[in-house]
Amino acid sequence: MALPTPLQAFSAVPKGPVEKLTADKRIVNGEKMTGAKAVVRTLEDLGVEDVFGLPGGAILPVYDAINDDTKFRFVLVRHEQAAGHAAEGYAVATGKVGVCIVTSGPGATNVVTAIADANMDSIPMVVITGQVGVNAIGTDAFQEADIVGITYPIVKHSYLVTSAQDIPRVLSEAYHIARTGRPGPVVVDLTKTAQTEELYYSWPQRMILPGYNPTTKAHGRVLSNAAKLFGQSYRPVLYVGGGAMRSDAGAQVKRLSEVTGAPIVTTLPARGIVPESDPAVLGMLGMHGTIAATGAVQQCDLLVAIGARFDDRVTGSLPDFAPAARVIHIDIDPAEIGKNRQADVPIVGDVATVLNDLVPEIERYQAINGKPDLDAWWDVINDLREKYPMQYDESPDGTLAPQWVVQELSRQASPDTIWVSGVGQHQMWAAQFIDFHKPHSWISSGGLGTMGFGLPAALGAQVGSDRDFDGKKPVWLIDGDGSFQMTSEELAALFFNRLPVKIAILNNSVYGMVRQWQTLFYKNHYSATNLMDGEARQGDTIGDGADEIMDVPDFVKLAEAYGCVGIRAFTKEQAEEAIRKANEINDRPVLIDFRVWKDAMVWPMVAAGASNSDVTYKPGIQPLKGIQA
């Protein structure tokens, strides 16, 4: 029998008069204030410095408590989904908890996508939603929605707050839960009555979290067992995922690679955890990974999963993934270990902490038993790197190759740049061709693959850069014309908050990744993927003597309508100049509309569900086919 959600269960309980629930009849010490003011004060006392959101009826008391004296900066977005994605971008860029505040009903449901996205990518976020008054719960009141029940499967934890006196404790717990253990989103649903009631505020709060005690340090003999496997391995690979980035374990991963001689391959969210210039880094593995990274994993005899979850986009056909490898799996979430691949040595703990303890154990083992000779292994890897580098075809129709645009963006960028992407082909090209120099320099929607993620996430990253790095980490968004249009209204939020995000739209006038699949697997049936207007009208050419039909919208005019700088580039010379100009503008957002080849494809590629050994380097070339591990 399905259990009721917390809100459903609550709605079945007889409710007395609201005045019987007032906090001052139970607690009479501390500063007297409303629940709404307690929300603001608690966030301040938690050290929250930036909050994203959009007001509405059921959360108005909280917004009324935000004023010029409030210690945190409030950033008004134009859509609740954007509030969530902005909080995500802020969290990834800074390592802090992202916070957003939205109203009930449609405001809360609009942020569900961002909650799911944060859950999939383990991003620490507190989402505060308004809720109708206690006596209206369960009556289908105006803008009532059971957001706790709706988000139950996609949050780390959630609360329904019906009493003002609970607000400081609940927010303290939510903030703690979001950032500790495996990070994730926590929803705090505040009834309007809890916001308007009075309480006696005190700080700090005593949290009530029985049973919540994440394991951070490895227990037992697992470290010595792992060291022994390294000592017996002649083809090891470090498979590094987003959990290592959340743990800020870049230095530890690099040290482990140096001590063991093992190459490093990364998942999408771990790009940049060790600089791309490091010779041990083979790049991204999986569906659109490098041949060297994917080939190394397919042939390894020891796979060390570090904060990674064996996602299907990484593994391809799971039974065929790293078929001869023994597995060491390090993860702070015990539920991930053994979920998709059985581990020979399971290690539960914080990645940075575990690696700090593991490296000395390996060094002790090597001092006694010696270090395996990996020269032959590196010969295999270097041969794959030399024969199958990342490459692309130039456009046959005179438009820009999107991969070249990404390379040029990377070439001209500061090493401190924070790169953000939407979802689609442009996302994969960015992951493949950007030269990542530092950790926390790449923000993208991985597990959920949320189109529209890019612009609001870049907004949040720029707020974080301004806050923590004095704006010295510029933010570049690489987006597609399809993905960008899903949240383009946030150009207004960028402009009014003077956030100088630089936006590169790889405009191919189609939903590129969907079109690529239609080309490869659906016999070139391009159903619902063409974004061109389709009808030539007077004055609808793209200018400069061109005779092509105008895209809808005209992104340059759209940018200018929002007060931003808009530039269009057709040629390499125009593109180089546009990028240079964008890098010089720091008082407002800049958008560059790069006209790119619509038939460009992302290679290498592993077809969904196929073995990674069947990876296609480019049409007709499958370099790992038949190679035995």
Side-chain angles (χ1 to χ4, degrees), residues 385-463:
R385 276 209 281 211
E386 182 179 342
K387 288 181 178 177
Y388 306 105
M390 292 304 303
Q391 64 173 22
Y392 57 88
D393 295 326
E394 292 289 349
S395 164
D397 62 4
T399 53
L400 294 165
Q403 301 94 326
W404 177 87
V405 174
V406 173
Q407 284 185 320
E408 185 61 21
L409 288 165
S410 181
R411 187 186 70 81
Q412 291 197 37
S414 161
D416 294 319
T417 297
I418 298 173
W419 298 95
V420 186
S421 85
V423 168
Q425 286 180 313
H426 63 275
Q427 176 189 29
M428 294 297 102
W429 288 320
Q432 291 174 336
F433 289 99
I434 290 173
D435 186 10
F436 296 101
H437 298 278
K438 298 179 181 180
H440 311 294
S441 60
W442 169 244
I443 303 173
S444 190
S445 173
L448 199 65
T450 305
M451 291 180 69
F453 172 88
L455 187 60
L459 183 157
Q462 186 68 62
V463 171

Side-chain angles (χ1 to χ4, degrees), residues 47 200 258 271 282 307 455 471:
Y200 288 90
E258 291 171 344
R271 304 296 291 125
L282 306 185
L455 187 60

Side-chain angles (χ1 to χ4, degrees), residues 512-532:
M513 188 60 82
V514 179
R515 181 185 172 89
Q516 176 166 334
W517 281 49
Q518 288 173 334
T519 300
L520 297 175
F521 309 119
Y522 293 90
K523 300 178 181 178
N524 296 67
H525 179 211
Y526 300 123
S527 175
T529 49
N530 190 347
L531 298 181
M532 295 291 286

Side-chain angles (χ1 to χ4, degrees), residues 248-540:
D248 200 19
Q252 289 85 349
V253 169
K254 179 174 172 59
R255 179 63 180 151
L256 179 63
S257 174
E258 291 171 344
V259 168
T260 63
I264 299 167
V265 304
T266 72
T267 64
L268 181 70
R271 304 296 291 125
I273 191 164
V274 176
E276 294 295 296
S277 57
D278 192 303
V281 176
L282 306 185
M284 187 171 68
L285 81 157
M287 177 172 279
H288 294 296
T290 68
I291 296 298
T294 302
V297 170
Q298 287 303 95
Q299 299 176 68
C300 71
D301 63 4
L302 177 64
L303 185 66
V304 187
I306 304 173
R309 58 187 177 86
F310 293 87
D311 175 74
D312 64 294
R313 284 301 190 258
V314 165
T315 67
S317 171
L318 191 59
D320 300 311
F321 180 66
R326 291 180 291 183
V327 174
I328 298 170
H329 194 170
I330 305 168
D331 204 291
I332 199 166
D333 185 356
E336 287 297 343
I337 296 179
K339 184 178 79 174
N340 291 327
R341 174 72 175 257
Q342 193 65 35
D344 296 274
V345 178
I347 305 178
V348 177
D350 171 68
V351 166
T353 303
V354 169
L355 295 186
N356 281 335
D357 294 338
L358 177 59
V359 168
E361 192 70 30
I362 293 172
E363 290 175 325
R364 280 191 289 272
Y365 184 92
Q366 291 175 347
I368 298 170
N369 301 285
K371 185 175 179 180
D373 183 357
L374 304 185
D375 287 348
W377 179 222
W378 275 102
D379 287 343
V380 171
I381 291 169
N382 288 329
D383 185 58
L384 290 175
R385 276 209 281 211
E386 182 179 342
K387 288 181 178 177
Y388 306 105
M390 292 304 303
Q391 64 173 22
Y392 57 88
D393 295 326
E394 292 289 349
S395 164
D397 62 4
T399 53
L400 294 165
Q403 301 94 326
W404 177 87
V405 174
V406 173
Q407 284 185 320
E408 185 61 21
L409 288 165
S410 181
R411 187 186 70 81
Q412 291 197 37
S414 161
D416 294 319
T417 297
I418 298 173
W419 298 95
V420 186
S421 85
V423 168
Q425 286 180 313
H426 63 275
Q427 176 189 29
M428 294 297 102
W429 288 320
Q432 291 174 336
F433 289 99
I434 290 173
D435 186 10
F436 296 101
H437 298 278
K438 298 179 181 180
H440 311 294
S441 60
W442 169 244
I443 303 173
S444 190
S445 173
L448 199 65
T450 305
M451 291 180 69
F453 172 88
L455 187 60
L459 183 157
Q462 186 68 62
V463 171
S465 175
D466 291 349
R467 172 69 64 188
D468 283 7
F469 311 109
D470 196 27
K472 293 179 181 177
K473 287 191 173 184
V475 176
W476 265 101
L477 165 65
I478 298 178
D479 216 339
D481 49 314
S483 186
F484 181 79
Q485 288 185 68
M486 292 192 171
T487 50
S488 61
E489 77 286 339
E490 299 312 317
L491 286 172
L494 291 176
F495 175 75
F496 282 109
N497 287 280
R498 294 297 185 265
L499 299 172
V501 172
K502 292 112 176 48
I503 303 162
I505 297 182
L506 304 186
N507 185 356
N508 57 9
S509 303
V510 296
Y511 288 124
M513 188 60 82
V514 179
R515 181 185 172 89
Q516 176 166 334
W517 281 49
Q518 288 173 334
T519 300
L520 297 175
F521 309 119
Y522 293 90
K523 300 178 181 178
N524 296 67
H525 179 211
Y526 300 123
S527 175
T529 49
N530 190 347
L531 298 181
M532 295 291 286
D533 180 63
E535 291 183 8
R537 296 189 302 268
Q538 187 69 31
D540 274 358

Side-chain angles (χ1 to χ4, degrees), residues 102-151:
V102 301
T103 193
S104 65
T109 57
N110 277 346
V111 83
V112 168
T113 296
I115 294 170
D117 192 274
N119 187 61
M120 290 286 277
D121 287 352
S122 301
I123 296 174
M125 182 166 73
V126 172
V127 179
I128 300 170
T129 60
Q131 185 55 268
V132 298
V134 167
N135 286 336
I137 289 178
T139 69
D140 290 332
F142 178 66
Q143 293 192 335
E144 178 188 3
D146 182 0
I147 196 63
V148 171
I150 289 168
T151 60

